[in-house]
Amino acid sequence: MDKYCFLNGEIIPLTEAKIGIEDIGLLRGYGVYDGLAVIKGKVFRFEDHWNRFISGAHALSLNIPITPEKTKEVIEELAVKNGFDQRANVRLILTGGKTLNGIEYDFNKPTFYILVEKWEPLPEDYYKNGTKLITYRHAREWPTHKTTNYIQAVSLQDLRKEQKAVEILYVYDGEILECATSNIFLVKNGKLITPSDGILGGITRKVILELAKASGQYEIEERLVYEDELKTADEIFITSSFKDVVPVVNIDDFEVGNGQVGPITKDLMQAFAKVTNMG
Amino acid sequence: MDKYCFLNGEIIPLTEAKIGIEDIGLLRGYGVYDGLAVIKGKVFRFEDHWNRFISGAHALSLNIPITPEKTKEVIEELAVKNGFDQRANVRLILTGGKTLNGIEYDFNKPTFYILVEKWEPLPEDYYKNGTKLITYRHAREWPTHKTTNYIQAVSLQDLRKEQKAVEILYVYDGEILECATSNIFLVKNGKLITPSDGILGGITRKVILELAKASGQYEIEERLVYEDELKTADEIFITSSFKDVVPVVNIDDFEVGNGQVGPITKDLMQAFAKVTNMG
């Protein structure tokens, strides 16, 4: 089955979707990105993703050549056209278009495209028995925006696989920040704790905070989180639009809490699954 | 006149040179880059550039699908074909090729291309009467490698032009590092001073150090340079493969030295012009 995408105003076959090699998204890595889930034909939390996307575009002075309504419509159309009736991964990419003078671009001629791809769920066992993180000393350059700069993340994939880890946790200056493509939560004495600054505000993270708050069961702390707290946490989990809520039972060479997926993690995994209708 | 480039093994018209939108160089900004000058038909310091390029490729585990001999030959052929008999800018770009699983790539299928573009010299007045820099608090993520990540540099171009500056000088933690696409030198009491760490080792910078050493006239210090030293320097200049040696007489709101292009800067500009046969 041929796959389709959306490139600069048109839905076209993915095999024909190409851009010029002078694009500043390539030459200078100048672009913003977003990753969304389309679930049973509907984009999950479209407005939140869109707001993040436009905030990144503004930060980079990029012109978004499409309305949110049209974007949502195209995503849902591509999900059908590509045969993903259950769930798919969506990527929005916006660059400055053709490079001028080696380092500039024409604001009025951006490159914008949408990919709707097969969703590959993590193994069931990861959700049941938990996963491992490895830590790496790094802080992203533009942490609050989702730029296309994932050089550090991509370069660590071999190490991640070697170490049988699901994600790489960036720590910097004694602080826990975020994973390469996920956010992190700690549970301690029934409190839900997550880093507040120097991170990308994930949409799954946002929904988890909303659910935890609405349940009235958990105290929530969004704050600076120290690396030391990893070793004393009762539970840890990560969140991402393509992975949902994933329990973490090992970090580097130590076990988290009692090494089992904890009750609060399980509770929030269930609550999240209900929201996405995947539960 | 049609322009040509080299893409994945072939010399083709630039208008036909396109790559798939799933390239990890676009989606994840994962690539290395180099910028060279081809002067009167010959690549300037090809071996130095190539060594830097392969060092970056190794750091990012990227496969270079071409030999240095072939690369040099293609560059020189493109300079002729594109009608640049005096001088041209050359860009080498290497990415991981098509993205796999959203964040990986096949080592054996990289994307590699070469652009040979019109060299646009800076106005003569810049070399005669000097230029201005603006400072910006920033340190690049992978400073010793020339990755394609120039998000900070591109995003500052409007500010640079507004301030009538030729370049942006990155300073961090009280230290002078490098400019967005140039290196920096200070002259103090006849000594030549340049930052040693946390920078990209420019080839023009290297040649200037060689020339200064060979002349036997200057003491040279490659070391940590403090931001304070900008205000007490006698002379300042920057170096880059596309700009050669450019005198700096203003930084932000202050004058460098006596506000004139200094004698040591002039001497090294002349020496460099001789080496490139542009003198």
Side-chain angles (χ1 to χ4, degrees):
Chain A
M1 184 176 173
D2 274 358
K3 293 290 179 259
Y4 289 82
C5 64
F6 180 85
L7 172 61
N8 292 332
E10 282 180 289
I11 290 184
I12 56 172
L14 186 54
T15 50
E16 292 168 21
K18 291 170 184 291
I19 66 162
I21 59 175
E22 292 176 290
D23 199 283
I24 201 161
L26 267 167
L27 269 189
R28 300 299 194 177
Y30 201 72
V32 288
Y33 165 68
D34 213 88
L36 311 80
V38 55
I39 300 172
K40 292 174 183 157
K42 295 282 162 210
V43 186
F44 184 65
R45 289 285 191 134
F46 178 76
E47 207 177 314
D48 287 319
H49 283 280
W50 184 258
N51 288 340
R52 184 171 72 180
F53 191 61
I54 57 175
S55 148
H58 290 164
L60 266 66
S61 298
L62 290 173
N63 182 5
I64 306 187
I66 189 168
T67 63
E69 295 75 23
K70 175 76 179 171
T71 304
K72 195 160 171 264
E73 186 191 307
V74 168
I75 293 171
E76 291 173 358
E77 185 176 341
L78 285 172
V80 173
K81 231 172 146 69
N82 289 349
F84 301 131
D85 57 348
Q86 287 307 300
R87 181 165 177 168
N89 292 345
V90 180
R91 303 180 199 277
L92 310 182
I93 293 95
L94 174 66
T95 83
K98 189 181 170 183
T99 311
L100 304 176
N101 310 319
I103 198 145
E104 299 177 52
Y105 56 93
D106 182 346
F107 179 79
N108 295 308
K109 293 180 181 165
T111 295
F112 173 73
Y113 60 96
I114 303 174
L115 296 169
V116 177
E117 303 170 345
K118 190 161 191 240
W119 177 60
E120 297 280 8
L122 294 175
E124 258 182 66
D125 175 64
Y126 284 25
Y127 295 96
K128 208 172 147 195
N129 297 314
T131 60
K132 178 181 171 179
L133 302 182
I134 50 172
T135 58
Y136 194 83
R137 238 141 274 284
H138 178 67
R140 291 190 305 118
E141 268 185 16
W142 289 60
T144 58
H145 297 295
K146 209 165 172 70
T147 71
T148 53
N149 174 23
Y150 282 81
I151 292 182
Q152 191 64 67
V154 174
S155 78
L156 290 170
Q157 293 306 309
D158 282 346
L159 179 68
R160 177 186 68 71
K161 287 190 284 186
E162 227 175 81
Q163 301 283 321
K164 302 192 196 317
V166 71
E167 256 281 25
I168 302 131
L169 173 61
Y170 294 148
V171 294
Y172 196 76
D173 233 356
E175 268 183 64
I176 299 164
L177 298 172
E178 60 192 339
C179 295
T181 62
S182 317
N183 290 115
I184 186 166
F185 285 82
L186 282 66
V187 176
K188 179 70 184 173
N189 299 332
K191 260 189 294 195
L192 201 58
I193 303 160
T194 191
S196 53
D197 291 321
I199 61 157
L200 185 80
I203 310 307
T204 309
R205 173 184 182 276
K206 188 182 178 195
V207 174
I208 286 295
L209 288 171
E210 286 172 13
L211 291 170
K213 211 171 171 181
S215 78
Q217 289 183 64
Y218 309 113
E219 218 179 297
I220 295 167
E221 294 185 355
E222 285 185 78
R223 60 166 169 85
L224 188 158
V225 183
Y226 293 101
E227 204 179 335
D228 297 346
E229 297 181 64
L230 293 174
K231 290 202 174 165
T232 56
D234 300 324
E235 306 178 27
I236 291 180
F237 61 88
I238 60 170
T239 56
S240 121
S241 291
F242 295 162
K243 303 185 205 75
D244 299 341
V245 180
V246 187
V248 174
V249 294
N250 285 287
I251 298 181
D252 296 333
D253 55 357
F254 65 87
E255 235 175 43
V256 175
N258 65 2
Q260 309 288 315
V261 178
I264 295 179
T265 303
K266 279 184 190 162
D267 179 43
L268 291 167
M269 285 170 72
Q270 270 177 2
F272 189 77
K274 266 187 208 156
V275 172
T276 57
N277 288 312
M278 301 287 282
Chain B
M1 184 176 173
D2 275 356
K3 293 290 180 259
Y4 290 81
C5 64
F6 180 85
L7 172 61
N8 292 332
E10 282 180 289
I11 290 182
I12 58 173
L14 185 54
T15 49
E16 292 169 21
K18 292 172 183 291
I19 67 161
I21 61 175
E22 292 176 292
D23 199 283
I24 201 162
L26 267 167
L27 268 191
R28 301 299 194 176
Y30 201 72
V32 288
Y33 165 68
D34 213 88
L36 310 81
V38 54
I39 300 172
K40 292 173 184 160
K42 295 283 162 206
V43 186
F44 184 64
R45 289 285 191 132
F46 177 76
E47 207 177 316
D48 286 317
H49 283 280
W50 184 258
N51 288 340
R52 184 170 72 180
F53 191 61
I54 56 176
S55 148
H58 289 163
L60 265 68
S61 297
L62 290 173
N63 181 7
I64 306 187
I66 189 169
T67 63
E69 295 74 23
K70 175 76 179 171
T71 305
K72 196 161 173 262
E73 187 190 306
V74 168
I75 294 171
E76 292 173 359
E77 186 177 339
L78 285 172
V80 173
K81 232 171 146 68
N82 288 350
F84 301 131
D85 57 349
Q86 288 306 298
R87 182 165 177 170
N89 292 346
V90 180
R91 302 181 199 276
L92 309 181
I93 293 94
L94 175 66
T95 84
K98 188 180 171 183
T99 311
L100 304 176
N101 310 320
I103 198 146
E104 299 177 52
Y105 56 93
D106 182 345
F107 180 79
N108 296 308
K109 293 179 182 167
T111 295
F112 174 73
Y113 60 96
I114 304 173
L115 296 168
V116 178
E117 302 170 346
K118 190 163 191 237
W119 177 60
E120 297 279 7
L122 294 175
E124 256 182 70
D125 174 64
Y126 284 25
Y127 295 97
K128 209 174 145 193
N129 297 314
T131 61
K132 178 182 172 179
L133 303 181
I134 50 171
T135 58
Y136 193 83
R137 240 141 273 282
H138 179 67
R140 291 190 304 118
E141 268 185 16
W142 289 59
T144 58
H145 296 295
K146 208 165 172 71
T147 71
T148 53
N149 173 23
Y150 282 82
I151 292 183
Q152 190 64 68
V154 174
S155 79
L156 290 170
Q157 292 307 307
D158 282 347
L159 179 69
R160 176 187 69 72
K161 286 190 284 186
E162 226 175 81
Q163 300 284 320
K164 301 191 196 320
V166 71
E167 256 281 24
I168 302 131
L169 173 61
Y170 294 147
V171 294
Y172 196 77
D173 232 356
E175 269 183 63
I176 300 163
L177 297 172
E178 59 192 340
C179 295
T181 63
S182 317
N183 290 115
I184 187 166
F185 285 83
L186 283 67
V187 176
K188 179 70 185 174
N189 299 332
K191 260 189 295 194
L192 201 58
I193 303 160
T194 192
S196 52
D197 292 322
I199 62 157
L200 185 80
I203 310 306
T204 308
R205 174 183 181 276
K206 188 183 177 196
V207 174
I208 287 295
L209 288 171
E210 286 173 11
L211 291 170
K213 212 170 171 184
S215 79
Q217 289 183 66
Y218 310 113
E219 218 180 298
I220 296 167
E221 294 184 356
E222 287 186 76
R223 60 167 169 84
L224 188 158
V225 183
Y226 293 101
E227 205 179 335
D228 297 345
E229 298 181 63
L230 292 173
K231 290 203 174 164
T232 56
D234 300 323
E235 305 177 28
I236 291 181
F237 61 88
I238 60 171
T239 57
S240 121
S241 291
F242 294 162
K243 303 186 205 75
D244 299 342
V245 180
V246 188
V248 174
V249 295
N250 285 287
I251 298 181
D252 296 332
D253 56 357
F254 65 88
E255 234 175 44
V256 174
N258 65 3
Q260 309 288 314
V261 179
I264 294 179
T265 303
K266 280 184 188 163
D267 179 42
L268 291 166
M269 285 170 73
Q270 270 177 1
F272 189 78
K274 266 187 209 158
V275 171
T276 56
N277 287 313
M278 301 286 282

